[in-house]
Amino acid sequence: MAKRPADESVGKHDALKAGQRPVQKDNGDEAGPFEDEFEDEFESEDEILEAGVDGRPDEEREVEEKRVVLGSLVTDAMEVDQKTFIPGRDKLAAGESLSPDTSTYEMLHNLTTTWPCLSFDIIRDQLGDNRKSYPATVYAVAGTQADSRKANQNELMVMKLSGLSRMDRGKDEEDSDNDEEDDDENADPILETKSIPLPSTTNRIRNHQYPPQNSSNPPTTFTATLLENSDVLIHDVTPQLTSFDTPGTMITPQQSKPLATLKMHGSEGYALDWSPLAPQGKLLTGDNDGKIFLTTGEEGGKWSPDNRPFTGHQSSVEDIQWSPNERTVFASASSDGTVKIWDVRSKSHKPAVSVQISNTDVNVISWSRQTTHLLASGADDGQWAVWDLRQWKASGINGSISEPKAVASFNFHKEQITSIEWHPTDDSIMAVAAGDNTLTLWDLAVELDDEESRDTVGVQDVPPQLLFLHYMETVKECHWHPQIPGCVMVTGDGGFGVFKTISV
């Protein structure tokens, strides 16, 4: 699994999204004078074909052939490839670029930062659940990946993204002259940040909220940051979040210091997760040595790591997920191709179940919070799958079982899966990011044997479960917003994207 961004010397296309169309750059040729396409009357089909395939004047048709029409890729000014262009599979020719089909988005925004932030997490706020009004607001945390020569510029960024308006559908003037809400909905996006210095690059960051004793107060928001130097830093970012909406709030240097710096790992790692069932905080972190450590929050703000690791993986631990309904159970994914299920109460600190699900690295996993016996995985060969944990029965040495069968499996992506996440309220919807510069949305409720959908929109090898394809350079991580239905936030080399499609 590629853990670092692509070489900075490689050129980047503009950030593109699903329904994107490849467009050849204009060479500056001007179209001829406009002619009425219905001016000439043709007496036969042969004459229509001779006049330019579709009966339009040559000048108009030649201009049309310089751009993409209905997903076709223009490879030459006079030669049109009618194959649908699929980002991540098809390649752009010299002088071509992609542009999004904005009609497929309800909201679409791109925001850039000084350094790439290849891991982030969305923070729950107090603006309410099931929000559908615009402009939208998102709070998040992210860790930077500064150039190695400028490692001292790394930081933990606490962010507020506001003014996230819906797509402008070109309303009639009469409809918008006296509509005061239009001004708000079409507001310009604003990115506000508060910076906390970090000594190294961030490999993974996640947040956890401790409920307040007084309902009128905001929850306490902790972050855990797994750094490239193998340290784990825990911060309280509540003051930074409060300062966005409380004018005059001063943040002291002490409030930017970590509550704890954990040094139990002997190597760097990428696996990190907070338990959703432990209010005071239970944190799991995994490293490249195959070791997993548990850290527990205690009264008085103390953080206590168990220095005896959970062991059993033969290679690096790539991802960890706590069970959404069992306090002591968690799952881990590894580059040894296995997913293991553990119970923290085990005195042996060995897995209860171990399943070989891939011949390559298993990079990411996601545990469904709606249907808690379902676990999704994404591997280095581009395959992602859904597993029924009720079929994983412990047997043999180290709880291993053979020949597990996935409930669903897809190999649409041809590069490594870098992120996977269940929709927070719909257990049939998935978001999947991959190294082919795409993020895809899937609906598992679509029947696999739907005869009418085997070749989606006439394109082979596109599963009918594929809802949407969003393009982004070096996409690394994606998350659904838990309070804005259908809203997805994604990060890559070029910055952040926040979007909502018409499909979800």
Side-chain angles (χ1 to χ4, degrees), residues 22-36:
V23 180
Q24 181 157 316
K25 304 239 184 215
D26 194 350
N27 294 324
D29 297 337
E30 295 183 358
F34 175 80
E35 295 179 21
D36 184 354

Side-chain angles (χ1 to χ4, degrees), residues 152-169:
N152 61 345
Q153 295 185 16
N154 278 300
E155 59 184 349
L156 188 164
M157 295 175 57
V158 185
M159 302 182 290
K160 178 183 179 182
L161 296 78
S162 57
L164 302 174
S165 59
R166 76 164 74 227
M167 299 299 295
D168 184 3
R169 300 301 182 194

Side-chain angles (χ1 to χ4, degrees), residues 340-384:
K340 300 183 188 296
I341 307 297
W342 314 69
D343 192 320
V344 297
R345 297 171 298 181
S346 169
K347 294 181 179 180
S348 68
H349 281 211
K350 297 293 183 180
V353 178
S354 179
V355 182
Q356 188 80 34
I357 67 169
S358 177
N359 294 323
T360 62
D361 300 7
V362 183
N363 295 330
V364 287
I365 52 176
S366 179
W367 206 319
S368 172
R369 298 197 176 191
Q370 299 297 312
T371 306
T372 55
H373 60 265
L374 294 180
L375 184 79
S377 65
D380 220 41
D381 59 3
Q383 188 170 43
W384 70 274

Side-chain angles (χ1 to χ4, degrees), residues 163-178:
L164 302 174
S165 59
R166 76 164 74 227
M167 299 299 295
D168 184 3
R169 300 301 182 194
K171 294 183 179 181
D172 295 335
E173 292 184 6
E174 294 181 1
D175 295 335
S176 58
D177 280 346
N178 298 315

Side-chain angles (χ1 to χ4, degrees), residues 171-378:
K171 294 183 179 181
D172 295 335
E173 292 184 6
E174 294 181 1
D175 295 335
S176 58
D177 280 346
N178 298 315
D179 192 351
E180 295 180 359
E181 293 183 0
D182 282 353
D183 293 337
D184 292 334
E185 290 194 359
N186 294 326
D188 292 330
I190 299 172
L191 172 59
E192 301 173 73
T193 64
K194 302 295 180 182
S195 174
I196 297 175
L198 293 178
S200 182
T201 288
T202 295
N203 286 347
R204 191 68 56 88
I205 185 171
R206 294 291 183 263
N207 84 90
H208 171 73
Q209 291 187 317
Y210 182 79
Q213 295 181 348
N214 187 335
S215 60
S216 62
N217 295 329
T220 300
T221 302
F222 299 114
T223 62
T225 310
L226 190 52
L227 299 180
E228 189 179 46
N229 67 6
S230 78
D231 288 351
V232 180
L233 271 55
I234 298 177
H235 288 87
D236 180 356
V237 297
T238 311
Q240 286 78 6
L241 290 168
T242 303
S243 68
F244 289 130
D245 303 307
T246 307
T249 300
M250 298 295 294
I251 300 175
T252 66
Q254 184 63 32
Q255 290 174 319
S256 293
K257 292 182 178 180
L259 301 177
T261 299
L262 310 176
K263 293 182 174 293
M264 60 278 193
H265 289 286
S267 63
E268 67 172 315
Y270 297 86
L272 182 154
D273 196 35
W274 291 95
S275 169
L277 303 177
Q280 287 190 333
K282 277 188 178 297
L283 177 69
L284 287 167
T285 51
D287 59 32
N288 287 353
D289 293 333
K291 297 178 180 179
I292 300 171
F293 289 89
L294 173 66
T295 300
T296 304
E298 300 177 354
E299 292 290 346
K302 184 179 178 181
W303 297 90
S304 300
D306 183 348
N307 289 319
R308 185 186 173 200
F310 295 89
T311 58
H313 282 298
Q314 302 304 307
S315 188
S316 61
V317 181
E318 299 292 310
D319 203 3
I320 292 174
Q321 286 271 285
W322 282 95
S323 167
N325 66 329
E326 296 184 75
R327 287 179 175 270
T328 62
V329 176
F330 70 93
S332 62
S334 170
S335 57
D336 62 15
T338 68
V339 170
K340 300 183 188 296
I341 307 297
W342 314 69
D343 192 320
V344 297
R345 297 171 298 181
S346 169
K347 294 181 179 180
S348 68
H349 281 211
K350 297 293 183 180
V353 178
S354 179
V355 182
Q356 188 80 34
I357 67 169
S358 177
N359 294 323
T360 62
D361 300 7
V362 183
N363 295 330
V364 287
I365 52 176
S366 179
W367 206 319
S368 172
R369 298 197 176 191
Q370 299 297 312
T371 306
T372 55
H373 60 265
L374 294 180
L375 184 79
S377 65

